[in-house]
Amino acid sequence: MEMSGEELINAPKEQVWAALNDPEVLRQAIPGCQSVDKTDDTSFAATVKVKIGPVKATFKGQVTLSNIDAPNGYTITGEGKGGAAGFGKGGADISLSDTDGGTLLSYNVKASVGGKMAQIGSRLIDSTAKKLAGDFFKNFNELVSVSKSEEPPAVEENIPAPAAPTSDTENSQEPTSASWMKPSILIPVAICVAAVLYFLSQNS
Amino acid sequence: MSVENGIGVSVKRKEDQRFITGNGKYLDDINKFGQTHGHFLRSPYAFAKIKNIDLSAAKTAPGVVDIFTGADMTADGIGGLICGWGINSKDGSPHVAPPHPCLATDTVKHVGDQVAFIVAETLQQAKDAAELIDVDYEELKSVTDVRQAAAAGAPQVHEEAAGNQCYDWEIGDKAAVDAAFTNAHHITKIDLINNRVSPNPMEPRAALGEYDPGTGEYTLHTTSQNPHVARLLLSAFVGVAPENKLRVIAPDVGGGFGTKIFLYAEETTAVWASKRVGRPIKWTADRSESFLTDAHGRDHATHAEMAFDADGHILGFRVSTKANMGAYLSTFASAVPTYLYATLLNGQYKMPCIYAEVQALFTNTTPVDAYRGAGRPEATYVVERIMERAARDMNMDPTELRLKNFIQPDAYPYETPVIMTYDTGDYPLTMTTAKDMIDYTGFAARKAKSAANGKLRGIGSSAYIEACGIAPSAAVGSLGAGVGLWESAEVRFNPTGSVTVFTGSHSHGQGHETTFAQLIADQLGVPFESIEVVHGDTTKVPFGMGTYGSRSLAVGGSAITKAADKIVEKAKKIAAHLMEASADDIEHSHGVFSVAGTDKQLTIGEIAFAAYVPHNYPADLEPGLAENAFYDPLNFTFPAGTHIAEVEIDPDTGVVEVVDWAAADDFGNVINPMIVEGQVHGGVAQGIGQALLEGVVYDDDSGQLLTGSYMDYCMPRADNFPNFRVETTNTPCPSNPLGVKGCGEAGAIAAPAALMNAITDALGKEIDMPATSEKVWRAAQNA
C-alpha cells in the first residue's frame, strides 16, 4: 500500500515540534498506543492495539529513524508484529513546514501487511489507516491545544496560530474532523507507530 | 421388469433426512472423553527462514498441555508427506519432490505453512498460547506467479528444484505435429490462464486423533474422501503406526471436491501428537485456514496452437502449459497436469497428432492438487476455447466446426494420439441435443433483441470429454501411480433378510447411501428401506480407494454388483437344495429364485434365513450369506457431452447475466436421474463460479494471500444461475457391468469453456477468467 498526503496541524511548527517530542503526548495521541520506549537514539519500541475489521491484535513495533533533519523531516521505517494477526511493515518520509493557520505535515508512506491482516483485512487497510490517522490528528490537535494553555510562553508565541482559523473561514474548517477525512498517513500499524516514533525521535 | 426404488428411478436421497434435520454427524460433532484442542501456529510470511522458535512463554500459558514443532516430529521418526504419483521429465529424470514436513523445520514456504502445534484444554487457550510463541523469521523474497517462477533469477523455493522446476514433461508426437503445421491452411493460436481456485467445501477440514495405550491402537477421525488411502500413507510413508494399529474413520463429510482426497499435515500431526499427550486431540480448521491450506485447484498458463486444412479439419494440436504446484507436492499433484490433463487434449475430435509439454513449477503458494475434474477441466478449457476461436477466425459456426471434426459413433474403440482409448459415445447427438434445447437457431433473433435494449448477447459451446471411473490399476501403474485404483465391496445379508452394503467408496454429498441401495434393491430384490450402506471406516469396510474422478459408481458400484453376483450364485445353491432341484435349473430375477418350468420359488429373504439357520442346508456349502468383491476396471469411462451457455452483458456495468444453459450429457446408464441432475447442477455451478467470480489472488510483491475470506473470494450464488436445462443421452459403457460412466465432475469440466466462449462471443474479444464485472466492463468500453 502506498499513501501520501498532508495534514494541517492547528499550531505553529515549533509548538507542534515540542508537543510531538513529548512521548506522553504521542502515547495519548496514537489510537490504541499502550507504550513507547526508546531503545537507542534512533530506535524505539512501541505497543499498539489495533482492530482492522474482524482482526484485533496487539502489535509490538520496532521503529528506526533516519535522514533526521530536525525540525523539518525524517525517514521512518518499522515493523510491527501482531502474533496471529500477522505483521505490518513499512516506511514513511515525513516533513513539517510552516503554513497559514499552523503547520503542514506532509507524508509519503509505503507499507504492507502480512498474515491474517492481509488475508482478511486487506480491503479494510486503506479505510482503517484513514480512520487511525484521523483519530491521531484529532487527539493530537486537542493535546497541542491543552499544552498551549499550560505553557504561557508557548501560548504567547503561538497566538497567531489559533487566530488563523478564526480569521479564515475556509481554513477554520480544516482542523475539524472533516479535514482528516483526506487520505491519511498511517497504515493500521506501521503508520501509527511511525508517526509516534518520529516525534519521539525529535524529542531525543 | 422395473423394480420399486430400483435402477433408473429418481428415489429421494435417504441421507438427506438426517442432513436437513441437523442430525448429520460431522467430525466437529464428535467429542471424546478427555479431549484436548489443537491449534496450528502458521507462517505469516510467504517465504522465510526460521532462525529461532521460543516456546517458553507459551508452554506455561494457562491450559496448555504441550506444544510441538518440526524438531519434535523429526526426533520421533515421523516423516513428511509424500506425492503418490511419479512423473518423469522429457530427459527421463524423475520429478523433484522436496521434503514436505508436517511442521516446518528451518523454513516456511507459503503463508499458512505450519510452524507449531499447540495442544490445550480449550481452543481459546491454544490460540492464546500461540500468541506467546516468539518466532524469529528472516523474510526471503518470494514468488507466487507460475510464469514468474519459471523466469531466470526467480526466487528459489526449494534448493532441490533448480529453476523451481518440478518436472518438464511431454506427451505425443512432436515431429508429426511440426509437419502438420507446415502443411496447415489455417493456424489458430491462443493464450489462456486457468485461474487458481479454492475448493470451499461447506465443512472445513478437521481431525480428531486418539491413542489407546492398552491396545497401542491409534484412531483418526478425519474429513477424508478416502480413509483407507489416508491410513496407507500414514502407515507406510509417514510412519505413525502400522496399518493394523491405525483406524481411520471419515464420518459424514460435508463436501470435498477433491481437496479432501489428500493427506495433510494437520491430521497427521494430530494423530501423532495424541500419543504424546496421552489424550484425544481435536483440530477443526476455521475458514481462514481453509483458504490458506486446503489444496487449491487449476492455476495453469497455457499457449496452444491448432492447425486446420482448408475445409476446417484439424491437422494437429500443439500445447505448452506451465502448471503451478504450489510450495510442496500434494498427494496426487503431479498427475493432475499430466495424465489427467494432456491425455484429454484430444477432446471429442479426430486429431491426427498432438504434442503437449507441461512444465510444473514450485511457488510460494498453497499446494495445488485435484479439484472437481482435476486436469480434465483444464484440458477441456484449452480445447474448447481454441475450437471456438478457430471457428470465429475461419468465419464458421463453432458448432459446425465441431460437428465436422467429431469422432463418429461407429468409430469405437477409438485410439487417440495421447494414449486414451475411447470406448463409446455419440458426440454429434449430444451436440445437436444441446442445440435444440437452447434453440440455437433462434439466437440471432435474441441477440438482435438484446442489442435493441443496449445489451450484448453471446452464445458459446463446450463439447467436453473426461476420463472417469479411475482407473485400471495396471494402466495407471505404468504411468507412475503408486497405488492400484480398484474398489472393494461387501454385501452382507442379515439373518432376517435386511442387507448391509460395505463400500470402499466414500460419500461426502454424492448420495451413495441412496444410489448403492438402489443397486441392491434392483439386483437382489431387497426392499430399499432394508438396505444400509456403510462407508468411511477402515475397520468396517474391507478396503477402499475412495471417491474422486467420478469413480464411485463405475468402480465402487461395479464392486457391489460383483459381490451381489456372488450372492446370487450362492443363493442359487441354497435354493436348489431347499426346493430339491438342480442349481442349474434355478432362475433368478430381482431376488426371486424359482425352479425353471414350475411355480416353486423362494425369495432372497427366505434363503438368507436358511443360510444363517442352516438346519436344512447343503452339506458342502458354508453357512451365511455375505460376499466380498474387488473390482478393477478394464478401462477408464468416457462421459462426454455438450454444454451451451447464453449470456447477456450490460456494457454499462460489465455485469454478465447467464440467461440460459443447456447440458446434454452422455453418462451411460443412469441409476438415479434426480441425483445425476443434481450433480450436473452442482458441477455447472462450480464451473460458472470459476469462470465468472472465483480466483485466488496473491500479492505479487509480498506473497500474501489477498483472497483469504468471503469478502474477497467471491462464491457464486443462486442468482448467478439460470434454470439449467439438463438432459442425458445414453451410450452404455461397455467396460463395466453397470454400463455407467460417472457424472460428478462433468459440469465443472464443461462449464468454464462454454461460459467464456459465450462471453467472448458477446464482447468480440478475448478475456481471461474470472470474467468479473470490472474486466468485462473494461473490455466492453474498449470494444
Side-chain angles (χ1 to χ4, degrees), chain A residues 53-54 56-58 60 79-87 89 112-124, chain B residues 39 41 43-45 111 127 131 134-137 139 286-289 291-292 702 704-709 711-712:
Chain A
K56 191 161 63 177
T58 300
K60 292 179 179 170
E79 175 162 357
K81 288 185 180 176
F87 62 88
K89 59 178 181 173
S112 63
V113 293
K116 186 161 273 191
M117 268 202 306
Q119 194 189 340
I120 291 184
S122 56
R123 71 164 57 222
L124 304 173
Chain B
H39 174 70
L41 178 69
S43 169
Y45 294 97
V111 176
K127 288 183 172 182
E131 293 280 333
D134 189 6
V135 184
D136 189 3
Y137 294 104
E139 189 179 8
D286 60 29
R287 190 54 68 177
S288 295
E289 289 180 292
F291 276 109
L292 281 176
S702 65
Q704 293 293 327
L705 176 67
L706 299 181
T707 48
S709 79
M711 290 187 291
D712 296 289

Side-chain angles (χ1 to χ4, degrees), chain A residues 22-36 143 196:
Chain A
D22 181 343
E24 184 54 22
V25 170
L26 294 168
R27 192 189 62 76
Q28 291 180 42
I30 293 174
C33 182
Q34 296 181 312
S35 69
V36 179
L143 288 163
V196 177

Side-chain angles (χ1 to χ4, degrees), chain B residues 351-646:
Chain B
M351 290 197 198
C353 54
I354 298 172
Y355 176 70
E357 51 188 351
V358 179
Q359 188 185 18
L361 294 138
F362 293 107
T363 60
N364 296 109
T365 61
T366 301
V368 179
D369 206 326
Y371 167 65
R372 200 170 191 168
R376 293 151 293 171
E378 295 92 315
T380 293
Y381 191 66
V382 174
V383 174
E384 291 305 290
R385 287 295 305 275
I386 201 167
M387 285 299 286
E388 193 97 357
R389 170 73 171 270
R392 292 174 194 165
D393 288 350
M394 294 187 284
N395 291 316
M396 292 180 68
D397 179 290
T399 61
E400 292 303 321
L401 179 66
R402 290 181 172 93
L403 285 163
K404 182 190 285 278
N405 282 284
F406 277 153
I407 296 163
Q408 293 304 302
D410 60 2
Y412 300 99
Y414 183 89
E415 282 191 33
T416 75
V418 278
I419 75 172
M420 287 294 181
T421 302
Y422 296 171
D423 54 2
T424 184
D426 190 340
Y427 310 141
L429 177 63
T430 46
M431 170 65 81
T432 52
T433 302
K435 287 177 74 173
D436 289 346
M437 288 163 72
I438 207 164
D439 183 21
Y440 192 82
T441 53
F443 173 72
R446 297 193 295 275
K447 185 179 175 72
K449 196 175 170 189
S450 292
N453 292 327
K455 303 285 181 63
L456 307 171
R457 202 175 186 97
I459 195 164
S461 309
S462 174
Y464 74 95
I465 188 165
E466 46 176 333
C468 296
I470 293 173
S473 297
V476 295
S478 71
L479 302 178
V483 291
L485 288 171
W486 41 264
E487 195 48 270
S488 86
E490 180 180 343
V491 175
R492 185 190 300 169
F493 270 83
N494 300 306
T496 52
S498 63
V499 172
T500 308
V501 178
F502 299 83
T503 175
S505 298
H506 184 273
S507 182
H508 30 280
Q510 291 87 346
H512 293 172
E513 290 169 41
T514 301
T515 305
F516 291 168
Q518 285 179 256
L519 292 182
I520 294 301
D522 198 290
Q523 293 162 352
L524 299 179
V526 178
F528 180 75
E529 54 276 9
S530 298
I531 303 163
E532 213 60 40
V533 176
V534 173
H535 63 95
D537 186 337
T538 57
T539 60
K540 292 182 180 172
V541 178
F543 209 89
M545 296 310 296
T547 286
Y548 39 81
S550 302
R551 71 191 300 273
S552 294
L553 186 59
V555 189
S558 293
I560 292 170
T561 300
K562 213 174 148 186
D565 288 345
K566 291 184 182 177
I567 292 277
V568 168
E569 286 311 302
K570 184 169 183 181
K572 277 184 177 176
K573 292 177 186 168
I574 302 169
H577 176 85
L578 291 174
M579 295 189 283
E580 297 174 334
S582 161
D584 293 339
D585 296 333
I586 302 295
E587 292 176 343
H588 168 248
S589 176
H590 304 294
V592 176
F593 295 78
S594 51
V595 181
T598 75
D599 64 351
K600 292 176 83 172
Q601 62 179 44
L602 286 168
T603 66
I604 189 81
E606 293 168 305
I607 293 167
F609 185 80
Y612 285 101
V613 187
H615 297 165
N616 175 19
Y617 200 73
D620 57 349
L621 203 61
E622 292 174 23
L625 194 58
E627 295 290 347
N628 276 321
F630 284 68
Y631 174 79
D632 200 340
L634 303 171
N635 190 0
F636 291 88
T637 66
F638 296 95
T642 293
H643 286 212
I644 303 181
E646 191 164 322

Side-chain angles (χ1 to χ4, degrees), chain A residues 132-154:
Chain A
L132 290 175
D135 290 349
F136 171 79
F137 286 113
K138 181 167 178 283
N139 296 342
F140 183 70
N141 252 358
E142 283 171 4
L143 288 163
V144 169
S145 299
V146 168
S147 66
K148 276 186 301 188
S149 65
E150 287 172 351
E151 295 175 36

